[in-house]
Structures are given as structure tokens and as C-alpha cells.
């Protein structure tokens, strides 16, 4: 319901002549047909759909201040009104119990109007309301879940097996959009790693978008070179990591990449190699830490062995040492 009350300032439509005589005879009811508000409501020019109780009181304007006497210089009018509006379907829900002016109030040139209304109000069935509320929550939850991107990974572990220095090893993993909305994915950095992948790993593509039902083969390539081999050879790092695959507006997936690096002197510092007393491939992390605190050779064992072999077998062949190319498979072992 809507109740609208106040000084609406509507007057009588025309001058009816001797207003004082009409008011003195108490014939003010004959003037209601000239009330501008009723005419406007009937013609739907203002307050369309509003209702008002029957008026039995005299015009509430204009009085001589401090009296109950009309000001003869102005035409009396029902300026002060109480209206109500009812939502369609709830007609008859408002009943007027009284509608009157208060003649005893003389602090204004208007007489105040008061109304007592009786209204029908709905009594809420709490059990039904709770059932509807829970149903709406379930529907919203279902809709929200449908709008969350979801993906399916063919595997969450990518294993490269044995990896040698300078050897490129490739693997792939199928990523599919199993949801009902477009999926934007990307491999992202972690607090312990500023890049989305460790330096020995390449991912292609590392980001992209898939429509519902689409899929892509994500390629993983591992290559240990002179930039990354030292930490792997001394066991300071492992050839393994956990990648974070992030879905925009969705969850994160975790992909483990792993391999066994065949430790090699390639890429290792000579300052470290001069301390090594045995083949580096047989040494543990603890062995490397211990040998750095021990004595050192003047030349790394591997360098001495290589130069000794060359001086023994390669200098009397009658042609350049570099005449024949090296054996890549042998070097990889």
C-alpha cells in the first residue's frame, strides 16, 4: 500500500459567488463537485489509481490565523488530503474508519486533517517461506556452478624419465574444457618461483582460451644447458617442480613435472670440479658439500683424464685432432 498525505494545494475549479453565505448555511458538500483534485483523479491527470474516503468535513483552507473563521479574501478549498493506493490484486485491502478535520487547531491558516485506516496485511507462513528461500539458494548455487569454468587434465604428472645434458625431451598433456562457459587458462608464477615454469622447462602454449568442448595438447620441453646444469649436477636442485594451472574465474590445478637428470661435468664450475675426488654422477648432495671443505687438485680429474687420453692416443695419428666429428651419443652418456 502507498499512503499519500499532505497539503496538496488543490482548490475549487470556479468561483461560485457568495462563498461566505454557502459556508454559513453549511452547504459545503455542494462544492465537492468543483474540487480540482477529484476532477484530476477522475480524468487520470494526477494520482491515477488512488482512492480517498468520503469527505464530510468543511474546507480546511483558508482561515484567519488563530480563529475558525474563513478569510473572506480567499475561496475556501479542501487543500489537505489523505489518499491511498493499492497494488493490483490487493483491492479492498484498505478501509477508512474515520476521515475528519480538527477544528480546534488554530496555529495555521489550514485545519489539519486526520484519517484512521484499517489495512489487510499478509501473514507470512514461515515454513513455506523458508522452503522457497532454500529453493532459490539452490537455484542460484546451480547457476553459479554452471558459470564456473572447469577443466579436465589427461594427467597431473608429466614424467621426462632420464634427461642428459643438452638433450631435449618432450612430453604433452591434453587439456579440455569440460564446463559450459568459455575457459581462459594460464600457467602462473608461485611465491617461490617468479616465473610460471623453472628455467629448464618450456610450456607451449602456456596460456589460451577454450570454448566448451574444445581441447588442446599442451607441450612440455625440458633442456638442461650450461645455465641450469650446475645446480642440478651438484644436487642443489632436482629436475622436478609443481606447476600451477590457473583458470580465470575458476579453480587452480596442479601439475607435477619430474625427471632424472644424469649428472654431468658439463656446465659445472672448475672451482667445484677441482674438489671432486670421484665421478660426479656417483656423488650425493652431501658428498658435494663435504668435498668443498676438503683439499683440492691443481686440475679437475675430468680435465686431467681428458688431456691425458688425448696426449696418449691422439697426437701421433698424422692428422688434426678435430678432423673427425665427435660422437654425440657417447658424449650424452
Amino acid at each position: 500500500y502507498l499512503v499519500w498525505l499532505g497539503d496538496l494545494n488543490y482548490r475549487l475549479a470556479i468561483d461560485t459567488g457568495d462563498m461566505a453565505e454557502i459556508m454559513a448555511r453549511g452547504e459545503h458538500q455542494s462544492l465537492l463537485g468543483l474540487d480540482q483534485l477529484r476532477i484530476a483523479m477522475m480524468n487520470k491527470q494526477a494520482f491515477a489509481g488512488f482512492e480517498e474516503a468520503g469527505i464530510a468535513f468543511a474546507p480546511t483552507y483558508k482561515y484567519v490565523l488563530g480563529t475558525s473563521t474563513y478569510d473572506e479574501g480567499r475561496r475556501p478549498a479542501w487543500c489537505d488530503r489523505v489518499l491511498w493506493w493499492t497494488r493490483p490484486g490487493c483491492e479492498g485491502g484498505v478501509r477508512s474508519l474515520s476521515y475528519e478535520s480538527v477544528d480546534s487547531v488554530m496555529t495555521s491558516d489550514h485545519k489539519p486533517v486526520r484519517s484512521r485506516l484499517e489495512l489487510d496485511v499478509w501473514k507470512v507462513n514461515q515454513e513455506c517461506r523458508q522452503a522457497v528461500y532454500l529453493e532459490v539458494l539452490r537455484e542460484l548455487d546451480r547457476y553459479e556452478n554452471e558459470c564456473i569454468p572447469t577443466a579436465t587434465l589427461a594427467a597431473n604428472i608429466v614424467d621426462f624419465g632420464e634427461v642428459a645434458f643438452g638433450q631435449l625431451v618432450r612430453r604433452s598433456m591434453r587439456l579440455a574444457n569440460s564446463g559450459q562457459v568459455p575457459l581462459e587458462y594460464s600457467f602462473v608464477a608461485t611465491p617461490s618461483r617468479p616465473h610460471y615454469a623453472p628455467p629448464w622447462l618450456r610450456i607451449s602454449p602456456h596460456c589460451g582460451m577454450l570454448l566448451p568442448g574444445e581441447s588442446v595438447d599442451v607441450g612440455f620441453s625440458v633442456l638442461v644447458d650450461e645455465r641450469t646444469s650446475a645446480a642440478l649436477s651438484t644436487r642443489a636442485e632436482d629436475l622436478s617442480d609443481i606447476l600451477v594451472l590457473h583458470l580465470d574465474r575458476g579453480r587452480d590445478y596442479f601439475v607435477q613435472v619430474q625427471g632424472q637428470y644424469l649428472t654431468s661435468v658439463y656446465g659445472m664450475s672448475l672451482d667445484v670440479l677441482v674438489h671432486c675426488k670421484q665421478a660426479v654422477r656417483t656423488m650425493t648432495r652431501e658428498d658435494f658439500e663435504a668435498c668443498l671443505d676438503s683439499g683440492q687438485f691443481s686440475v679437475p680429474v675430468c680435465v686431467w683424464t681428458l688431456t691425458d687420453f688425448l696426449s696418449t692416443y691422439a697426437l701421433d695419428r698424422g692428422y688434426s685432432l678435430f678432423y673427425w666429428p665427435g660422437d654425440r651419443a657417447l658424449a650424452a652418456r
Side-chain angles (χ1 to χ4, degrees):
Y1 307 108
L2 173 62
V3 178
W4 193 298
L5 66 157
D7 175 11
L8 305 187
N9 211 31
Y10 283 89
R11 309 299 175 85
L12 297 182
I14 60 175
D15 192 349
T16 59
D18 191 354
M19 299 295 296
E21 184 177 343
I22 294 176
M23 302 307 298
R25 293 197 303 266
E27 298 176 354
H28 51 266
Q29 290 290 320
S30 63
L31 302 176
L32 283 173
L34 303 175
D35 176 55
Q36 292 177 336
L37 175 58
R38 288 196 169 188
I39 295 173
M41 292 172 64
M42 182 173 57
N43 294 330
K44 301 187 185 306
Q45 295 172 326
F47 295 100
F50 279 76
E51 299 178 69
E52 183 183 23
I55 295 178
F57 50 86
T60 58
Y61 175 83
K62 174 182 183 178
Y63 288 87
V64 177
L65 193 63
T67 72
S68 293
T69 303
Y70 287 105
D71 183 343
E72 295 183 0
R74 305 295 295 271
R75 282 181 292 166
W78 287 274
C79 294
D80 310 283
R81 313 289 275 269
V82 178
L83 311 177
W84 70 82
W85 174 88
T86 305
R87 186 174 62 181
C90 299
E91 293 84 354
V94 179
R95 292 168 294 280
S96 176
L97 302 181
S98 65
Y99 191 29
E100 58 189 355
S101 65
V102 184
D103 190 63
S104 60
V105 177
M106 303 180 185
T107 55
S108 169
D109 56 356
H110 290 252
K111 294 296 182 182
V113 170
R114 62 188 177 192
S115 175
R116 293 181 63 229
L117 301 175
E118 182 180 70
L119 289 76
D120 291 337
V121 295
W122 295 105
K123 181 179 180 181
V124 177
N125 185 323
Q126 293 295 342
E127 183 177 349
C128 292
R129 182 184 184 279
Q130 184 67 12
V132 172
Y133 176 74
L134 293 176
E135 179 62 27
V136 170
L137 285 184
R138 284 191 292 269
E139 184 69 17
L140 290 176
D141 186 59
R142 182 187 65 80
Y143 176 76
E144 183 178 353
N145 288 335
E146 289 178 351
C147 293
I148 296 177
T150 55
T152 300
L153 302 180
N156 57 6
I157 298 179
V158 178
D159 194 337
F160 296 100
E162 292 186 345
V163 178
F165 179 89
Q167 177 187 7
L168 182 64
V169 181
R170 294 187 176 94
R171 297 288 187 270
S172 65
M173 178 192 69
R174 176 64 60 90
L175 170 65
N177 183 351
S178 55
Q180 302 183 37
V181 294
L183 177 154
E184 294 185 37
Y185 70 91
S186 61
F187 287 90
V188 297
T190 66
S192 60
R193 188 185 64 242
H195 196 54
Y196 65 83
W200 40 263
L201 180 68
R202 295 292 180 269
I203 305 174
S204 180
H206 76 275
C207 63
M209 185 187 76
L210 296 174
L211 296 177
E214 289 186 339
S215 61
V216 64
D217 287 325
V218 180
F220 299 86
S221 302
V222 61
L223 177 64
V224 179
D225 56 19
E226 62 277 2
R227 297 178 300 111
T228 57
S229 64
L232 295 171
S233 293
T234 58
R235 318 294 186 181
E237 296 180 4
D238 295 323
L239 196 69
S240 66
D241 207 332
I242 295 179
L243 308 176
V244 179
L245 176 61
H246 174 71
L247 305 187
D248 185 33
R249 297 178 293 106
R251 55 166 289 192
D252 289 340
Y253 294 81
F254 300 96
V255 179
Q256 182 177 350
V257 290
Q258 61 187 28
Q260 180 184 355
Y261 178 59
L262 301 178
T263 305
S264 169
V265 297
Y266 293 127
M268 290 186 64
S269 168
L270 294 176
D271 292 336
V272 174
L273 289 175
V274 293
H275 290 276
C276 298
K277 311 298 191 302
Q278 63 190 82
V280 295
R281 189 166 293 180
T282 64
M283 297 176 64
T284 65
R285 181 172 183 175
E286 290 74 17
D287 291 335
F288 278 105
E289 293 175 351
C291 79
L292 291 176
D293 295 328
S294 64
Q296 67 181 58
F297 297 113
S298 58
V299 177
V301 173
C302 59
V303 175
W304 182 89
T305 303
L306 176 62
T307 55
D308 180 66
F309 179 87
L310 293 176
S311 64
T312 303
Y313 298 102
L315 297 181
D316 58 349
R317 299 299 180 180
Y319 51 81
S320 172
L321 173 65
F322 303 104
Y323 185 79
W324 300 103
D327 188 337
R328 290 186 177 273
L330 181 61
R333 294 199 295 270

